[in-house]
Amino acid sequence: MFRTALRNVFAHKARLLMTMLAVMLGVAFVSGTLVFTNTISDALQNSSAKGYDQVDVAVTAEYQDSKGDKVGELPELTQDLLDDSAEVPGAASAIGVVSGFTAVADKDGDLIGDGWSTKGGNYWGAKDSRYPLVEGRAPKGEGEILIDARTAERTGYGVGDTVRMSVDGPILTPKVTGVFTTDDGNVAAGGTLTLFDTATAQKLFGKAGVYDEIDVRAKAGVTQAALKAQLDGALPKGLVDTTTGEKLADDQAEAIASSMSGMKQGLLVFAGIALFVGTFIIANTFTMLVAQRTKELALMRAVGASRRQVTRSVLIEAFVVGVVAAVTGLLAGIGIGAGMRALMDSMGEVVPDGPLVISSGTIVTAFAVGVLVTMLAAWLPGRRAAKIPPVAAMSSVHAKATTKSLVLRNTLGALFSAAGVAVVLAATTMSGSDGQAPMGLGAVLLIIGVFILTPLLSRPLIAAAAPVLRLFGVSGKLARQNSVRNPRRTAATASALMIGLTLITGMTVMAGSLQKSIDKMASASIEADYVVSMANGNPLSPDVADRLAKADGVTALSPLRNAESRIGGETEYLTGVTGSTIGELTDLKVEQGAFEIGGTNVVVDDDTAKEHGWKTGSTFAASFEDGKKEQLKVAGVYEGNEMIRGIMVDLSTVTPHQSEPVDMQVMVKMSDGASSASKDSLTQAMDTNPAIKIQDKKDISNEIAKMFTLMLNMLYGLLAMAVIVAVLGVINTLAMSVFERSQEIGMLRAIGLDRKGIKRMVRLESLVISLFGGVLGIGLGVFFGWAAGQLMGTTMATYELVLPWGRMGLFLLLAAAVGVLAALWPARRAARLNMLQAIKAE
């Protein structure tokens, strides 16, 4: 039986090629994803571990939880603590570390790197082994800095150059006194690291004489654990926390692995979709192969082969196909992994250098996926073939499915579909994350149900195309009859395309609706022409608002200043605003009272009011950062949203209680509205600062929607794999169908249908099947998009369903294009059949 199976593989290698390609693409996607994510994760972890080579134990301040009316605070790591750390017996040295966001502009004035990866810190001079100098000298005073070698190479900055930069808003123009090398992971990933002398760094990033962290090196022969124990005994308990360098490196590695797991899971989901689609092709292929070899298998049964042996022979064929597909898929996946890394580099997403990681897990997964998927898909056709009695197989009385099996299939499909619709509709009545799992379950049930029902659905939907097909004469009529002749095969072929288009359409509906909702939210709640903030979301210096107020054309302005407080024993963040102007800068629906802020009068959003049981006229005590209390009064309750919510208090009330006030944003209204001249005025007021974002309402909504747009574009690219697999499925089905109908095609040629008519028949059949899958996919996608929108609408008041008719039309055209392209080779093959040989074919 093994030899027989191998002969069948070689005898049908052309027919099995498409199946191998389908499995290979899925395996390539899975292995490429694993190679890519493992490579990036390994490079980041190695780079991160190098960053802790100079740290044996790190000392950090331990946050003191807020109790009663007291606001929580972070103890200060002073010079005394640094000296105490350096004096423990096992310490060789101790360095105080200060760090923070530092935006550096290139020579064109643009921000270098992303906001999260542009850092600044302090340099300890010659004894600072963390950052060895390769050129120049250490910085002295506020007007001097060091830059890392990679940034110097990318920007062309060198010793003696003046650099434009910012820490919290205002522009700084220090001079470069030196260049250093570093193993810092952010720098390796395309960020920047700027170093100041310690006093300057403390002034810019925190407080004079205070450090963010103390890094202690151990003497020779002293372990990290022993040094940690000594520091724990010498430093104040409850105020500081000590962590070994090994633990920091492990935690960082775990964090990197965790962050990469999201990407890995997302990519593997799409790989799974491609494999799921490929499963239909494999099952379809083996079903047709088994059907074409029915007499052969019956003869094997007649000469003594058991059912198990017949099934086993089919599974051996599947195993060989799976192994070949797994090997080629793994090799292709390695290439995909290397290509994705190169693509990231070309897009400016620089990652640390490191080798391509091909783990044993990747190899095992590639073979497991390739072989198991193929064998599982081939098992059912093999089992069916084995169950056919030899005499019945020889006379082909088994050819048509029984009425009982069709009724069972349709009943099962109806039950799955009804259960799926019911669960999805129930999920739409739930709130937020509670409905996500039920909706996912309902979607799976509905897709399975529709797949089971596709043979039943194919007849009426394809019949709807009959008026159009009649325009093509005999070829059109034959194409329609061929499409519904074997509903199960048509359904399996169309389902592959249906799944891909379901996901694409659903995500497109959601993305378009979210974009509309975010635009509506921004225009409904913000009256300001511009919102000014830091590029990385860090707080702004109060100087920014002062400078903007002096810009030409500014008619109203208000910072949004965070202020931590304690209300009723719980931590609550207040938003300090300019009470006299905030009404001009926002357009929030007032549910109770009036939108009046000033003195002790505040306004609160509806959710906060409901949580505390407040209404207009309610009073409450707020304890501020300095421990002092204020009795505040609710003047009004407004409808909050994702952009503006919380307790708004006048700046004159909160600022006196803050030691270092900072703003999260500044809202600005201009006399000329949002215009290029207005934006230029604000930009000039900020000295063309690379760290500052000046956004109008459209910019804000686009930024919020950017993540959805990026996700959608990724989805289009990734699901292209599923569409390619679907194309292979259509080609495979048509090619094998042409082979199966060789005698019929020969007879058609003999009675007068020319080669063009044969080609047209096969093309129209392919087009009808593809459009059938496209209609089902788009219909399901719209339903899932609507359902997901209903779920999101529970947390987004401005959510509004938007149907992208234009894109859905393009998707339908895509389905048609799939049909036309997939039919090219089978149609040509059918037209070139020799009619006499075809008529004699069995």
Side-chain angles (χ1 to χ4, degrees), residues 353-373:
D353 296 328
L356 203 64
V357 178
I358 306 165
S359 67
S360 57
T362 300
I363 297 171
V364 170
T365 301
F367 277 90
V369 167
V371 174
L372 287 178
V373 167

Side-chain angles (χ1 to χ4, degrees), residues 357-550:
V357 178
I358 306 165
S359 67
S360 57
T362 300
I363 297 171
V364 170
T365 301
F367 277 90
V369 167
V371 174
L372 287 178
V373 167
T374 310
M375 292 185 71
L376 284 173
W379 174 76
L380 189 58
R383 187 169 174 271
R384 279 181 189 156
K387 289 176 70 175
I388 300 171
V391 175
M394 296 290 283
S395 58
S396 298
V397 297
H398 69 287
K400 291 186 178 180
T402 63
T403 304
K404 181 181 176 181
S405 70
L406 290 174
V407 170
L408 179 63
R409 178 179 182 130
N410 293 337
T411 303
L412 193 62
L415 289 173
F416 268 97
S417 299
V421 170
V423 174
V424 169
L425 292 177
T428 61
T429 63
M430 301 178 185
S431 60
S433 58
D434 294 340
Q436 290 177 5
M439 184 163 290
L441 173 63
V444 171
L445 290 174
L446 181 54
I447 287 176
I448 292 172
V450 171
F451 168 65
I452 295 172
L453 285 175
T454 40
L456 179 67
L457 296 171
S458 64
R459 289 185 178 276
L461 286 176
I462 291 175
V468 178
L469 292 174
R470 286 197 195 102
L471 299 175
F472 297 93
V474 174
S475 296
K477 184 178 180 180
L478 289 171
R480 185 183 67 80
Q481 291 174 346
N482 289 333
S483 301
V484 295
R485 178 189 297 181
N486 192 332
R488 292 190 181 196
R489 184 189 302 166
T490 297
T493 306
S495 295
L497 191 59
M498 176 193 78
I499 292 169
L501 286 179
T502 295
L503 292 165
I504 291 175
T505 305
M507 287 299 295
T508 302
V509 170
M510 287 171 58
S513 301
L514 280 169
Q515 178 70 66
K516 177 80 172 180
S517 306
I518 292 164
D519 288 345
K520 190 175 177 182
M521 187 192 304
S523 59
S525 60
I526 298 176
E527 280 292 309
D529 295 313
Y530 292 100
V531 175
V532 180
S533 61
M534 291 291 282
N536 70 333
N538 271 15
L540 290 161
S541 165
D543 293 345
V544 171
D546 296 338
R547 295 182 67 134
L548 290 171
K550 298 172 184 176

Side-chain angles (χ1 to χ4, degrees), residues 25 29 152 278 316 326 407 428 435 485 518 528 531 552 591 672 774 781 801:
L25 284 172
F29 206 167
I316 290 170
V407 170
T428 61
R485 178 189 297 181
I518 292 164
V531 175
D552 294 336
E591 296 185 345
D672 295 334
L801 179 67

Side-chain angles (χ1 to χ4, degrees), residues 604-628:
V604 300
D605 69 283
D606 47 358
D607 289 338
T608 303
K610 184 178 180 181
E611 181 184 343
H612 290 281
W614 295 337
K615 56 184 179 181
T616 303
S618 297
T619 59
F620 60 91
S623 179
F624 292 96
E625 180 185 320
D626 59 0
K628 295 181 180 178

Side-chain angles (χ1 to χ4, degrees), residues 59-81:
V59 180
T60 54
E62 187 174 344
Y63 186 76
Q64 306 299 297
D65 292 334
S66 47
K67 296 178 182 178
D69 292 329
K70 185 175 175 58
V71 173
E73 60 184 13
L74 196 66
E76 296 177 346
L77 297 181
T78 62
Q79 185 64 40
D80 290 340
L81 280 174

Side-chain angles (χ1 to χ4, degrees), residues 766-785:
S766 175
L767 184 63
V768 166
I769 292 173
S770 297
L771 286 174
F772 169 53
V775 169
L776 283 180
I778 292 170
L780 281 173
V782 169
F783 176 70
F784 290 139

